Structures are given as C-alpha cells and as structure tokens.
Amino acid sequence: MKATIYDVAREAGVSIAAVSQVINGKGKISEERRAKIMDVMERLGYKPSVIAAALTGKKTYTLGLLVPDISNPFFAEIARAVEDRVDHHGYSLVICSTDNQDERVERYLTLLQQKSVDGIIIGTGIEDKELLAPILAKSIPVTMIARGLPGEAIQTVTVDDYEGGRLAAQHLLSLGHTSMAVLAEHPKVTSSQERIRGFREAMAESGQTLPEYFVKSGGRDLIKDGKRNASELMRYAERPTAIFCCNDLLAIGALQAARELGISVPRELSVIGFDNTILATVTNPALTTIAQPTERMGGLAVDIILQKNGEQPDESSRTVLAPELIVRQSTAAPLR
Amino acid sequence: MKATIYDVAREAGVSIAAVSQVINGKGKISEERRAKIMDVMERLGYKPSVIAAALTGKKTYTLGLLVPDISNPFFAEIARAVEDRVDHHGYSLVICSTDNQDERVERYLTLLQQKSVDGIIIGTGIEDKELLAPILAKSIPVTMIARGLPGEAIQTVTVDDYEGGRLAAQHLLSLGHTSMAVLAEHPKVTSSQERIRGFREAMAESGQTLPEYFVKSGGRDLIKDGKRNASELMRYAERPTAIFCCNDLLAIGALQAARELGISVPRELSVIGFDNTILATVTNPALTTIAQPTERMGGLAVDIILQKNGEQPDESSRTVLAPELIVRQSTAAPLR
DNA sequence: TTGAAAGCGCTACCAC
DNA sequence: GTGGTAGCGCTTTCAA
C-alpha cells in the first residue's frame, strides 16, 4: 500500500500540515522537525500524490502533445524535442496520434482536458477550428507546433513553410530545371499548401508556371502515395525533371518509384524532400531536403506554453523559424 | 472556468449524487431526471474530472511507457502500437525517453508513480533491477516490452532475440559466408546479447566460431557507431564478408561505411539488420533484416497490463514472439 | 512555529 | 428513486 501524508505525519508525530510544509519547502519549521519528517518520508518511501495536489488547485505537471502519427520520424523527432524540454521543467508528456482526423482530435482534446493537463501542444492539422473553442473557453493553454491555424489567436511555432517551398524551387531552378512537379500530403494539410505556394511563386518569379496536373496529393500511407503519384507523373509524355515532395516520406516514395521504373536519380530525375528526418540521410542517393529546426521548435513550443519565456506572450504571437536547404545527392542539373 | 458536478447539480435542481449516477451509469434514476441532467451537462460543457475521480479510488486511465528514445524509429513504432491499443481501452499514454540511463528510469518511475498511473510498460533496459522494487512494492502493474529482465518475476513481451540471431546466422550461412562479424549496441543491452548468443550458436553448429574481435559494440549514436565500427572491421587484413547488426540503425551505419570505403553491398559485403523498421525499406540496397512484430507486441503488452486478456496472468509469464527473416537486397553470397 | 479545519471534485454508502 | 455525507490525499488559511 502506498504511504500517504497521514502516515508520515503519524509516524513523525506531527500534523499533516507540517509534512505538507516540508514537501513544498514553504512555511516555517524548526530544522529538527524538518529533519525528522524528511527521515520518515524516506523511510516510508513516501511520494506525494500529484493527483491529490492537483485537486487542491496545483498543477498536474503534465502536458498533452497531439501529432498525426508518432511513428512518423518527423513527429517522433518533434516529440523527443518537446519531451526533453518538458522534462527539463519537471513535466511529463501525454502523446496522442490523431491520424489527421478531426474526430480523434476532438476526443483527445476532451480527454486531456478531463485529465487536467496544464497545456496542450498541437502538432496536427485541424480542419474544424471550432474544435478548439471548448478548451480555449476553459482557458487551457494551447500552442501549435509545426502546423498553423490561420486566423486563430493561438501561439504558434512553425517553420516558414512558404519560404521552405521557395528554397526548394530556387535550388531546382538554379540547377536549370524547367519542368517540375509537386507531391503533397492531403490537400487539407495547411503546411503542404504553404510549401506549394512558396514553390509556385518562386517558379513564377522565374517565369515558370506549375501546371495543376503536376501537383499530386496523397492520403494516409505517405510512402506508398508518393510512390504511386510519382509513377503517375513519370508516365506523362512530358514528364517533369524534378519533383518537390512536401515531406521526406513522399520523397522516399518518389525515389522508390524512380528505381522501379529504372529512372536514375538524380541524373534523370531530381527529388527534393522536406523535414530532413533521419530518413533523408539514409536513402541512396541521400535526399536533398529542406530542414526544419525540430529541436528549437519543440523547445520553444514548451517554453511558450509554460510561459517560461520571460515576457508575456501577446495574444496571437506566431514564431516562424527559418528552414534550411540541405543539399545531398538526390538533386542535379537536368539532362539537357 | 470549468464547470463542476456542483454546477450541473444546481442547474438541474438535483443532488450531486444524482449527477454522479448518470455520469457512471449506475444506480437508479428516472428517465426524466436523467435526460434533464444530461441536457444540463451538455449545455454547460461539463466534463467530469478524471483527477477527482481518481482520488476517490477510481483509475487514472493513464499508462506510462518507458523507451530508450522515442525518436528511434523502432521505439516510435512500438509506441504507436501501444498507443493504439491503450486508446482502444480508453486510456492515454505518458511517454518517457530514458536514453538507457538508469538514473532517468528511476526518475520517471517515481514520477509516474506520483501521477498514479494505472500501470507502466517498460521498453528500456534496466541495469539495476532494484529500481523496480519500489513500484512493485506499491503493486503498480509493470510489464516489460521488447526487453526482458532476466530473473525477475515480471510479465514480459519480447521477440525471441536468440532465435532472431540464429535466423540471421542461418541466412548468412546458407549464403555461404564463412567470415562474419557483429555490430552490437552497448554491452549492457540484453537484447543485443541474446541476439549475439543465437548468432554465435548457429555459427558453432556450422562449425564456425565468432572471434571476439569481430564483435563491436556501440554507444549513444547508433548510426555513427555502426559506421565507425564497420569501418574498423573493414580495415582488418582478413575482413569479414558479412556483418550482422543488432538493429537497423547500426546496419545503416555499416551501409554508410561500406559506401564510403567503396565496398559494394551485397557483392563484397553482406549486411543484415534487426527490427525491420521503416529505415530498412528505404536504404539502397534495401536492408535484409529480422522483423519484430511490433504491433502484436504493443497490443499484447497493453492487454496484459490491463488484464484484458481474460485469464489471470501467472506471476512471471513471458510471452516470446517469433522473429521473421525479411530478405531484401543487402545480403548475397560472398565473392568466392 | 504548529495544527485544526475547510475545501478541491467526485464516488459510494446509507438513510429516507 | 433520491439526496445527505463521509471520505480520497493534499494545500492553505487562520488561530492558537
């Protein structure tokens, strides 16, 4: 049986109030009693219940993290960064995979609320913004990470997706490509949309246009979708010489498709990804990609939600971090 | 402000006991009152506090999961499997990355205990078995996954590491290799040890021996360690024609080393991994590896710890699942 | 300094 | 059927 504050008090011959004081290092206690109580706590293996403390108004020291899928390397890295920072502040993390389904988001949101978490970090897209209304109304701190929610007054930490798209386009453009395609996630994923927008605009500035039929969207199984859509692209009479993929998983699918079709990367086809996950370092050819500063993003999101950042965050501050082009071996000049 | 059971009771003009009954679907209430209360709960956006309920003896519906590193794809997959099953039972998951450090294990263990989780699934190695004593004493359910704790009476779900090692050896042996090396994790990781034991014994049955200097151990950064150790192996005068890596990350390091040294895989060197993570499907050549049934392992571990498995689990039952050889392109017959 | 006591939100038992 | 009430383990006044 677990020891309670009463057990300690009785054993030490003091009141529970005294024990509470030494637990929290508050109030005044004689060094003698203090030592005695500490001793008893140690002997009984007493650990104060966070649950009970939380009920009296203290915090639960628990944060929730919503991601599309924790087994997706990008989000696993985000989760690790968040966890590290959270742990640093003495908190723990409840992780929830939403599969990008609003219905699951809703379920997890109320679940986390019922568990009285001290804040929720959302790294998954949300279609129906109304989902957040209930928890915002209960003034549970919410911060978005890696995905924005346009128009909502919510603290957000993202990479500059638009700029990332531009970087990708500029890289391809500078290599001399004139026929480029895009592999995106589900159309509802805002980060994909932004990346495409940046990509498209950079192309436009170069006098090129991105035809609609050169933009393919995927769904659930990103690698498979990437492969299928890339194959499709490669079957066009006028096939693209480069593909910008909105994440590394899609890019891997593209790489697989190319291999299967006997198309050499990067000689005949350049492929560029996004995220710079561990996967990008492992493929052959290694994947040129746009890096997101996952560590910083995770750390920032936590600091913001815990308001350990010093200044009072203003209502709708959005922190946008710079993406970085990582050139590896999957991109090169087009054949002619 | 969040609504409480009192708010609902007042608003509905009933006692809190009545509200509690409809929340839990217990006791007897007239359909009329019941409807009225439901209505008020809805209107107020009332969600019962798990914290308060837990304090009265009910469960917290939260489980803890300890893994070495959530950003390691293998454990991310395990985590996803566990999460899915846990969610299925209405629970949520607190995930903790231990970096294989006992000190962190200990910290997380007491933290989870203080948060009154209903059980802890441990997927990380533990050197000092005494660490578990405190929580076992408090009779908090504990289950090990993917890693065993020899000699302890703890429910365990693992793959047959020994057999996995054998499978790897047999595959290489059948290909005709006679000079094989091993890349392992840190020597204290028991799963690695078992895999090596199986590998070694299968070799012995074939009349071969595994020289000690052909077994290299890594530490923190698995890919980097794998690369370094593989390079070292390849510099021996009598270098091995095949390397068995205790996980895919190490295998990737080996692949990278080979490429850097201009050694062709699988023509000049066969590489076989373990885990069958997403990484194995992505390398070039794709990695031959030993698959672990992560989904089943995760599901089983949850069912066991929640005792939803029907039968009373006996004190020290160990569930050992069969590994599976997945042949891809990184293994072949040796040159001569 | 120290301790008695009033909650925190909810469950469960018991009397009506 | 229904509601009063005693806790659950802990924090926090507030007297003493």
Side-chain angles (χ1 to χ4, degrees):
Chain A
M1 225 46 270
K2 298 190 52 172
T4 74
I5 198 171
Y6 287 99
D7 301 320
V8 176
R10 187 177 341 103
E11 195 75 9
V14 301
S15 74
I16 61 166
V19 179
S20 178
Q21 284 186 24
V22 349
I23 292 171
N24 299 291
K26 292 181 175 177
K28 274 93 184 49
I29 310 213
S30 61
E31 197 43 57
E32 187 189 3
R33 293 169 72 82
R34 183 190 169 67
K36 166 96 187 190
I37 291 171
M38 295 273 274
D39 182 59
V40 173
M41 294 201 301
E42 172 75 18
R43 216 153 33 71
L44 266 42
Y46 169 74
K47 302 269 182 279
S49 156
V50 173
I51 295 287
L55 195 54
T56 72
K58 294 189 72 166
K59 292 180 293 194
T60 52
Y61 290 97
T62 302
L63 253 38
L65 174 66
L66 262 48
V67 292
D69 180 4
I70 189 63
S71 71
N72 171 327
F74 173 67
F75 289 104
E77 282 173 32
I78 288 277
R80 181 54 143 106
V82 169
E83 192 205 327
D84 278 349
R85 193 90 191 124
V86 141
D87 181 55
H88 176 78
H89 290 307
Y91 282 68
S92 26
L93 239 207
V94 173
I95 295 181
C96 310
S97 296
T98 66
D99 284 329
N100 279 320
Q101 292 171 237
D102 269 14
E103 162 234 329
R104 300 193 64 166
V105 171
E106 182 168 22
R107 217 158 46 72
Y108 286 132
L109 248 24
T110 81
L111 203 62
L112 290 172
Q113 173 195 331
Q114 291 191 243
K115 297 199 172 163
S116 309
V117 296
D118 298 329
I120 303 178
I121 298 178
I122 303 182
T124 187
I126 299 183
E127 275 190 276
D128 179 4
K129 295 169 188 173
E130 285 312 304
L131 288 187
L132 287 182
I135 57 165
L136 254 22
K138 269 116 191 163
S139 58
I140 296 174
V142 170
T143 295
M144 303 277 308
I145 187 172
R147 263 125 180 75
L149 207 53
E152 298 293 294
I154 296 178
Q155 302 256 22
T156 304
V157 179
T158 54
V159 77
D160 190 333
D161 288 308
Y162 172 82
E163 179 61 20
R166 288 186 63 95
L167 284 178
Q170 285 161 0
H171 173 61
L172 261 14
L173 252 11
S174 77
L175 251 21
H177 288 274
T178 53
S179 175
M180 307 184 265
V182 172
L183 254 39
E185 295 187 55
H186 189 101
K188 74 183 183 188
V189 177
T190 53
S191 56
S192 268
Q193 296 317 309
E194 278 301 286
R195 290 168 196 179
I196 296 175
R197 193 168 66 84
F199 190 83
R200 179 172 265 137
E201 286 197 14
M203 278 181 74
E205 285 169 18
S206 217
Q208 302 195 17
T209 62
L210 177 64
E212 240 3 282
Y213 58 86
F214 265 15
V215 178
K216 302 279 184 191
S217 295
R220 263 325 191 41
D221 185 335
L222 265 8
I223 293 187
K224 199 172 290 174
D225 296 335
K227 185 171 175 182
R228 182 169 36 71
N229 284 329
S231 301
E232 212 168 296
L233 284 170
M234 298 323 283
R235 267 195 287 275
Y236 285 145
E238 292 270 306
R239 69 186 201 202
T241 60
I243 303 182
F244 167 46
C245 306
C246 285
N247 67 43
D248 289 349
L249 257 11
L250 291 165
I252 281 163
L255 249 26
Q256 292 181 347
R259 186 174 321 152
E260 210 166 276
L261 297 172
I263 295 169
S264 153
V265 175
R267 217 174 57 86
E268 300 173 84
L269 175 71
S270 284
V271 174
I272 180 167
F274 207 114
D275 290 349
N276 192 33
T277 55
I278 187 175
L279 297 171
T281 67
V282 151
T283 56
N284 186 355
L287 196 62
T288 292
T289 191
I290 307 293
Q292 299 202 45
T294 50
E295 195 142 337
R296 277 199 64 213
M297 287 168 62
L300 269 174
V302 173
D303 286 351
I304 286 176
I305 206 162
L306 258 24
Q307 313 224 353
K308 300 284 185 193
N309 52 346
E311 77 253 52
Q312 279 310 310
D314 73 294
E315 266 295 43
S316 66
S317 82
R318 288 169 196 277
T319 306
V320 179
L321 269 23
E324 187 188 352
L325 171 69
I326 308 286
V327 179
R328 294 206 179 85
Q329 287 85 52
S330 67
T331 48
L335 267 189
R336 57 194 159 90
Chain B
M1 222 47 271
K2 297 188 51 171
T4 74
I5 199 173
Y6 288 99
D7 300 321
V8 177
R10 188 179 338 104
E11 195 75 8
V14 300
S15 73
I16 62 165
V19 179
S20 178
Q21 285 186 26
V22 350
I23 292 172
N24 299 291
K26 292 181 176 177
K28 273 94 185 48
I29 310 212
S30 62
E31 197 41 58
E32 187 190 3
R33 292 168 72 81
R34 183 189 168 67
K36 166 97 187 193
I37 292 171
M38 296 273 274
D39 182 59
V40 174
M41 293 202 299
E42 173 76 17
R43 214 152 36 70
L44 264 41
Y46 169 74
K47 302 269 182 280
S49 157
V50 173
I51 296 287
L55 196 54
T56 72
K58 295 190 70 166
K59 293 180 293 194
T60 51
Y61 292 95
T62 302
L63 253 37
L65 174 67
L66 262 47
V67 292
D69 179 4
I70 190 63
S71 72
N72 171 326
F74 172 68
F75 289 104
E77 282 173 31
I78 287 278
R80 182 53 144 103
V82 169
E83 192 206 326
D84 278 350
R85 194 88 191 126
V86 141
D87 180 55
H88 176 78
H89 290 308
Y91 282 68
S92 24
L93 239 207
V94 174
I95 294 181
C96 309
S97 295
T98 67
D99 284 330
N100 279 319
Q101 292 171 235
D102 268 15
E103 164 233 328
R104 299 194 64 167
V105 172
E106 181 168 22
R107 217 158 47 70
Y108 287 131
L109 247 24
T110 82
L111 203 62
L112 290 172
Q113 173 196 330
Q114 291 191 243
K115 295 196 174 167
S116 309
V117 296
D118 298 328
I120 303 178
I121 298 179
I122 303 181
T124 187
I126 299 182
E127 275 189 275
D128 180 5
K129 296 169 186 172
E130 284 312 303
L131 288 186
L132 287 182
I135 55 165
L136 254 22
K138 269 116 191 163
S139 58
I140 296 173
V142 170
T143 294
M144 304 278 307
I145 187 172
R147 262 126 179 75
L149 207 53
E152 297 293 294
I154 296 177
Q155 303 257 23
T156 304
V157 179
T158 54
V159 77
D160 190 334
D161 288 308
Y162 172 83
E163 179 61 20
R166 290 185 61 95
L167 284 177
Q170 285 161 359
H171 174 61
L172 259 18
L173 251 11
S174 77
L175 251 22
H177 289 273
T178 54
S179 175
M180 308 184 265
V182 172
L183 254 38
E185 293 188 56
H186 188 100
K188 75 183 182 188
V189 176
T190 53
S191 54
S192 270
Q193 295 316 308
E194 279 300 287
R195 291 167 196 180
I196 296 175
R197 193 169 66 83
F199 190 82
R200 180 173 265 136
E201 286 198 14
M203 280 181 73
E205 285 169 16
S206 219
Q208 302 196 18
T209 63
L210 177 64
E212 241 0 285
Y213 57 86
F214 264 15
V215 178
K216 302 279 185 194
S217 295
R220 265 322 192 43
D221 186 335
L222 265 7
I223 292 187
K224 199 172 289 174
D225 296 335
K227 186 171 176 181
R228 182 169 36 72
N229 284 329
S231 300
E232 213 168 293
L233 284 170
M234 299 322 284
R235 268 194 288 273
Y236 286 144
E238 292 270 305
R239 72 186 197 202
T241 59
I243 303 182
F244 167 47
C245 306
C246 285
N247 67 44
D248 288 348
L249 256 11
L250 291 165
I252 280 162
L255 251 24
Q256 292 181 348
R259 186 175 318 154
E260 210 166 278
L261 296 172
I263 295 171
S264 153
V265 175
R267 218 173 55 87
E268 300 173 84
L269 176 71
S270 284
V271 174
I272 180 167
F274 207 113
D275 288 350
N276 191 33
T277 56
I278 187 174
L279 296 172
T281 66
V282 151
T283 57
N284 186 356
L287 195 62
T288 292
T289 191
I290 306 294
Q292 299 201 45
T294 49
E295 196 142 338
R296 278 200 63 211
M297 287 170 61
L300 268 175
V302 173
D303 287 350
I304 287 175
I305 206 163
L306 259 24
Q307 314 224 353
K308 301 283 186 192
N309 51 346
E311 78 253 55
Q312 279 309 309
D314 72 295
E315 267 295 41
S316 65
S317 82
R318 288 167 197 280
T319 306
V320 179
L321 269 25
E324 186 187 354
L325 170 70
I326 308 285
V327 180
R328 294 206 179 86
Q329 287 83 53
S330 66
T331 48
L335 268 188
R336 52 186 166 96

